[in-house]
Amino acid sequence: MEKEINFEFDGLEINFFFEDFNFKESELKLFEKSLQRLGPSLIKFCNNYQYLSDKNMVLNISICNDETIQEMNRDHRKKNKITDVLSFPLQENVRKGDYDKFLPEIELGDLYICYSVCQAQALEFKISFEEEFLHLSVHGFLHVLGFDHEISDEEERIMEKFEEEILLNVRSR
């Protein structure tokens, strides 16, 4: 059974899905707090760089298990392994202005974050689960806008700079 929490900000709707999990109330509160901090920071980033600053945006974020993310990674990227986050943009390239301009709201795309990998990476990097969840969400968000660190070293530097900029804003909330 699909479980969902919806967040609405001025110009951004985030839909959070967690169908494979029965989170405790405290865990759900952590996701809610994280996404409440994330939303305004994503809007600020878009406004600063004029990405859809005049549109209402929709972003879907799902927490999934190892099996689901490995299957999606295999089917869509031809990489048969578990990964931390997958992004599926629903627009051609928001960054370059190639998106459905005639719609009142723009569906940015879907992010899938692997719960166990997020936990493991938080431990590995000696940060909280929340910090890693936010990092993966920001990373995926930049991908749905059209950024791709795998294209070149320069593109990787740009993406890392924007990730840090957004995360600094999130931390200040």
Side-chain angles (χ1 to χ4, degrees):
M1 178 178 188
E2 184 169 81
K3 300 169 195 152
E4 176 179 354
I5 303 173
N6 305 96
F7 301 89
E8 295 210 16
F9 306 95
D10 186 27
L12 175 65
E13 177 182 332
I14 297 177
N15 302 308
F16 178 67
F17 301 94
F18 54 102
E19 78 180 75
D20 294 330
F21 298 93
N22 290 313
F23 290 120
K24 297 177 201 167
E25 188 65 29
S26 60
E27 292 170 306
L28 286 176
K29 291 288 183 199
L30 176 75
F31 285 117
E32 288 178 22
K33 178 182 147 210
S34 300
L35 294 168
Q36 291 287 358
R37 292 172 54 211
L38 179 65
S41 298
L42 298 181
I43 293 168
K44 182 176 180 177
F45 174 80
C46 287
N47 288 339
N48 285 349
Y49 294 97
Q50 299 177 344
Y51 298 124
L52 301 174
S53 55
D54 60 337
K55 298 284 185 186
N56 290 321
M57 303 171 284
V58 178
L59 179 66
N60 300 312
I61 301 175
S62 297
I63 290 288
C64 62
N65 61 33
D66 293 358
E67 181 182 322
T68 300
I69 206 145
Q70 182 171 359
E71 182 180 304
M72 287 189 297
N73 202 19
R74 181 190 65 233
D75 294 349
H76 297 282
R77 299 181 67 226
K78 308 300 183 232
K79 295 182 178 186
N80 191 18
K81 64 180 186 174
I82 298 168
T83 191
D84 52 5
V85 61
L86 290 173
S87 305
F88 296 96
L90 293 176
Q91 304 300 320
E92 278 302 314
N93 193 320
V94 171
R95 175 186 182 188
K96 294 181 179 175
D98 193 4
Y99 57 89
D100 297 327
K101 294 176 178 72
F102 58 88
L103 298 176
E105 63 182 26
I106 303 299
E107 289 269 353
L108 295 176
D110 302 308
L111 308 182
Y112 292 87
I113 297 173
C114 183
Y115 186 75
S116 68
V117 176
C118 186
Q119 286 179 313
Q121 288 180 174
L123 289 172
E124 177 186 342
F125 304 140
K126 295 178 176 49
I127 59 176
S128 70
F129 176 86
E130 180 184 21
E131 288 173 295
E132 182 61 7
F133 173 74
L134 287 166
H135 174 256
L136 295 175
S137 297
V138 169
H139 185 86
F141 171 76
L142 289 170
H143 274 302
V144 298
L145 289 183
F147 293 90
D148 188 352
H149 57 88
E150 294 180 355
I151 292 175
S152 69
D153 290 341
E154 176 61 23
E155 191 69 12
E156 184 174 11
R157 282 190 291 278
I158 290 168
M159 200 163 164
E160 286 174 357
K161 173 185 170 258
F162 286 154
E163 282 177 10
E164 187 57 33
E165 181 180 320
I166 294 169
L167 289 168
L168 280 172
N169 189 274
V170 170
R171 288 182 201 114
S172 71
R173 296 188 175 280

